[in-house]
C-alpha cells in the first residue's frame, strides 16, 4: 500500500482474532517501531510514524509473519475528491468508496512510476554499496534529491550532495568500505501536468468499460477506428498520457527512460 507524509502517521489494517504484536522495519532491515494491536470484529489498526520516506515492512511476531508493506511517499498523485470532481458523476456513483479510489490511485502511481522510470513525487530508497576510493557514489535510482542518512563502515557521514545519477561525498570513500545510503529521489516538485494525466488514466479504469477491453478497434459510421492498446502503444494506451510518461521532452514527456510494458 501507499501512504503519504502529508497525511501524518501511517495506519495499517491487521486481520486478527486475538491481540497481535510486532515491529516495523525499513528497507535496511532496521527496526523503527514496535506495535501492539487489540482487534475488534476480527481486525485492528497498527499506527506508526515512519522516520523518513521509503518502504517499510509491518511484521507480526513469528517467523515470516508479514502483515503489510508500506511505500511511504511525499504526497499522492491525486485525492478521491480530485477524481470525483474530474469524473463529475458519470462513473463514480455514491456506492464507489474512497477506499476503492485509493486502490485505483495505487495502481496509477505504480504504472506511472514504472513507465516514466522515476516517481513524480519525492520517494525514499535505501542502498548498500562499496567504496571505490572516489568521493562519487552512484545510485540505482535516477533523480536523487537528497541524502537523508549515510553510514560508511557504520559511522555517520554528513555533507553528501545530490548530483546527476548519484551523490558527491565530502571526502573520498576508501575502496572496499561498506556504504549504507538512505536517500530521497524522484521529482521534488511534481510537473504541473501530472494531476491531469493521472486523473485521465484513473478515470479510464474505473466504472464499466464502454467497449470490450480486448478490442483493438471498432466499426464506426465513417469507417474503422483503431484503439490505442496499453503495453503495445504505451503504458496506458492513452496517447496524451503515454506522451507525458515518455522521455521525449518534445512530446511533453517527463520520464527519464522509456519502459516497455508487455
Amino acid at each position: 500500500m501507499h501512504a503519504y507524509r502529508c497525511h501524518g502517521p501511517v495506519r495499517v489494517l491487521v486481520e486478527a482474532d486475538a491481540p497481535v504484536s510486532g515491529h516495523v522495519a525499513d528497507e535496511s532491515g532496521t527496526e523503527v517501531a514496535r506495535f501492539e494491536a487489540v482487534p475488534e470484529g476480527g481486525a485492528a489498526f497498527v499506527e506508526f510514524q515512519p522516520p523518513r520516506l521509503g518502504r517499510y515492512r509491518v511484521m507480526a511476531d513469528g517467523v515470516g509473519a508479514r502483515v503489510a508493506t508500506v511505500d511511504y511517499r511525499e504526497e499522492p498523485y491525486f485525492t478521491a475528491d480530485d477524481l470525483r470532481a474530474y469524473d463529475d458523476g458519470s462513473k463514480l456513483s455514491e456506492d464507489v468508496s474512497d477506499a476503492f479510489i485509493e486502490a485505483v490511485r495505487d495502481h496509477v502511481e505504480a504504472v506511472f512510476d514504472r513507465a516514466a522510470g522515476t516517481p513524480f513525487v519525492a520517494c525514499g530508497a535505501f542502498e548498500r554499496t562499496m567504496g571505490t576510493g572516489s568521493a562519487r557514489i552512484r545510485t540505482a535510482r535516477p533523480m536523487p534529491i537528497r541524502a537523508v542518512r549515510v553510514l560508511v563502515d557504520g559511522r555517520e557521514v554528513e555533507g553528501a550532495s545530490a548530483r546527476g545519477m548519484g551523490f558527491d561525498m565530502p571526502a573520498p570513500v576508501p575502496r572496499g568500505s561498506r556504504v549504507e545510503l538512505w536517500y530521497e529521489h524522484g521529482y521534488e516538485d511534481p510537473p504541473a501536468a501530472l494531476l491531469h494525466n493521472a486523473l485521465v488514466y484513473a478515470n479510464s479504469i474505473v466504472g464499466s468499460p464502454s467497449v470490450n477491453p480486448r478490442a483493438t478497434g471498432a466499426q464506426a459510421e465513417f469507417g474503422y477506428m483503431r484503439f490505442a492498446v496499453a503495453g503495445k502503444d504505451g503504458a496506458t494506451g492513452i496517447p496524451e498520457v503515454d506522451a507525458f510518461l515518455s522521455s521525449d521532452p518534445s512530446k511533453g514527456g517527463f520520464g527519464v527512460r522509456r519502459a516497455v510494458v508487455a
Side-chain angles (χ1 to χ4, degrees):
M1 63 171 284
H2 291 174
Y4 308 96
R5 183 153 58 188
C6 62
H7 290 172
V10 174
R11 300 184 79 216
V12 178
L13 179 66
V14 178
E15 295 182 359
D17 295 321
V20 59
S21 61
H23 71 278
V24 181
D26 69 8
E27 282 188 277
S28 73
T30 302
E31 183 178 307
V32 300
R34 288 203 59 82
F35 65 85
E36 293 184 357
V38 178
E40 293 184 5
F45 282 99
V46 171
E47 185 171 296
F48 69 99
Q49 181 62 60
R52 62 186 73 87
L53 301 181
R55 297 180 69 85
Y56 294 86
R57 290 177 298 158
V58 181
M59 306 285 290
D61 288 335
V63 178
R66 178 179 298 183
V67 175
T69 299
V70 178
D71 184 357
Y72 188 57
R73 298 166 158 237
E74 180 66 36
E75 60 183 312
Y77 286 6
F78 59 87
T79 66
D81 287 342
D82 288 333
L83 186 57
R84 292 187 188 282
Y86 176 84
D87 178 78
D88 197 25
S90 61
K91 288 185 180 179
L92 298 177
S93 67
E94 293 181 356
D95 296 332
V96 177
S97 67
D98 284 358
F100 174 80
I101 295 175
E102 289 164 4
V104 169
R105 183 180 63 206
D106 280 0
H107 174 74
V108 170
E109 292 178 346
V111 170
F112 274 36
D113 293 359
R114 182 182 178 191
T118 190
F120 288 98
V121 297
C123 292
F126 169 78
E127 293 179 21
R128 287 189 177 95
T129 188
M130 303 295 287
T132 63
S134 167
R136 180 72 176 160
I137 296 179
R138 292 183 62 85
T139 56
R141 295 171 176 84
M143 297 183 67
I145 300 171
R146 66 181 60 86
V148 179
R149 188 185 187 198
V150 183
L151 297 180
V152 176
D153 291 332
R155 295 190 299 272
E156 297 273 357
V157 175
E158 297 182 355
S161 58
R163 179 173 65 86
M165 285 285 292
F167 289 91
D168 290 331
M169 299 289 282
V173 179
R175 183 177 297 276
S177 294
R178 186 178 75 254
V179 180
E180 296 173 283
L181 174 64
W182 291 259
Y183 65 98
E184 295 178 6
H185 66 105
Y187 275 88
E188 189 165 22
D189 297 309
L194 172 63
L195 176 60
H196 169 76
N197 283 279
L199 291 175
V200 168
Y201 182 45
N203 195 56
S204 75
I205 58 178
V206 299
S208 300
S210 58
V211 298
N212 187 321
R214 295 182 176 85
T216 59
Q219 187 66 43
E221 181 180 358
F222 301 104
Y224 186 82
M225 295 188 301
R226 177 187 173 278
F227 300 145
V229 180
K232 175 178 179 292
D233 300 301
T236 70
I238 304 173
E240 69 168 317
V241 177
D242 291 335
F244 170 78
L245 297 174
S246 79
S247 57
D248 187 349
S250 68
K251 296 180 180 179
F254 286 87
V256 297
R257 58 178 171 81
R258 187 65 176 179
V260 177
V261 181

